[in-house]
């Protein structure tokens, strides 16, 4: 509601934490899109590393990105209506979001929230989280549009063998097999 004396009401903000790397961002795309569809009146703010911004823009799910160098309280203009933890399940990720003083925290293993399943793949995990809170998510909603500028290597195939944690890395021989195919 707005009046001439107070001006327009500030947009409601949904703050989403996904402070990890490329693969982690991509596994969160279906959940981000479900939030975008379910919260059309909210400004969706993603707290994530700066390097992910070009892909975040391609997702079509985020209005604003706040650059986050790790698990620290995100900087957000104005009050946070809803905070969504697409990072983890415990105090390391819940606490930075709680410091923004959201009206509601959507997360695993909080009062009223779903339980964490350690054996669940990341894509269905984040879809299940937002679906629990009333935002139906399709785990197959992973496609990104073609970037607006042409590829510098149009016929290239990219194999991304990196991961921040050794437990997530394939052996080099397996990447060599994929590249050869």
């Amino acid at each position: 509601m707005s009046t001439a004396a107070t001006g327009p009401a500030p947009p409601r903000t949904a703050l989403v934490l996904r402070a990890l790397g490329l693969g982690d961002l991509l596994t969160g795309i279906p959940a981000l899109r479900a939030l975008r569809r379910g919260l059309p009146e909210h400004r969706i703010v993603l707290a994530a590393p700066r390097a992910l911004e070009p892909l975040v823009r391609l997702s079509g799910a985020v209005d604003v990105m706040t650059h986050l160098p790790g698990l620290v309280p995100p900087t957000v203009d104005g009050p946070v209506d809803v905070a969504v933890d697409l990072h983890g399940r415990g105090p390391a990720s819940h606490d930075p979001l709680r410091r923004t003083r959201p009206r509601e925290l959507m997360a695993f293993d909080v009062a009223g929230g779903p339980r964490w399943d350690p054996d669940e793949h990341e894509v269905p995990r984040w879809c299940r989280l937002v679906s629990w809170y009333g935002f139906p998510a399709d785990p197959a909603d992973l496609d990104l549009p073609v970037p607006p500028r042409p590829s510098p290597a149009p016929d290239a195939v990219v194999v991304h063998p990196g991961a921040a944690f050794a437990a997530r890395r394939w052996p080099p021989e397996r990447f060599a097999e994929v590249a050869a195919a």
Side-chain angles (χ1 to χ4, degrees):
M1 176 180 228
S2 71
T3 66
T6 61
R12 295 196 295 178
T13 297
L15 172 63
V16 182
L17 176 64
R18 193 71 178 137
L20 296 166
L22 172 65
D24 298 294
L25 169 67
L26 294 174
T27 64
I29 294 290
L32 284 167
R33 288 181 174 152
L35 291 169
R36 171 74 290 152
R37 286 188 302 273
L39 297 170
E41 72 287 357
H42 282 68
R43 178 177 63 128
I44 306 290
V45 177
L46 179 66
R50 180 183 307 277
L52 300 176
E53 191 161 4
L55 282 175
V56 168
R57 275 189 260 120
L58 285 175
S59 76
V62 174
D63 298 307
V64 178
M65 192 170 160
T66 185
H67 303 122
L68 202 62
L71 287 175
V72 297
T75 302
V76 183
D77 292 332
V80 175
D81 187 47
V82 178
V84 183
D85 187 350
L86 293 185
H87 181 87
R89 66 171 174 143
S93 55
H94 293 359
D95 290 350
L97 287 172
R98 282 189 175 114
R99 286 189 197 112
T100 68
R101 300 172 58 184
R103 183 185 54 77
E104 179 180 10
L105 173 63
M106 291 191 239
F108 283 108
D109 297 343
V110 296
R115 304 301 302 164
W116 179 270
D117 178 353
D119 298 321
E120 191 170 27
H121 184 276
E122 296 257 332
V123 175
R125 171 180 291 147
W126 304 124
C127 289
R128 182 170 63 85
L129 174 70
V130 298
S131 295
W132 177 277
Y133 288 98
F135 305 100
D138 177 2
D141 190 9
L142 289 162
D143 290 344
L144 293 174
V146 174
R149 60 182 180 189
S151 169
D155 295 323
V157 173
V158 177
V159 177
H160 184 292
F165 303 101
R168 293 177 154 188
R169 291 185 206 128
W170 263 8
E173 320 69 72
R174 293 192 65 194
F175 278 107
E177 286 179 42
V178 169

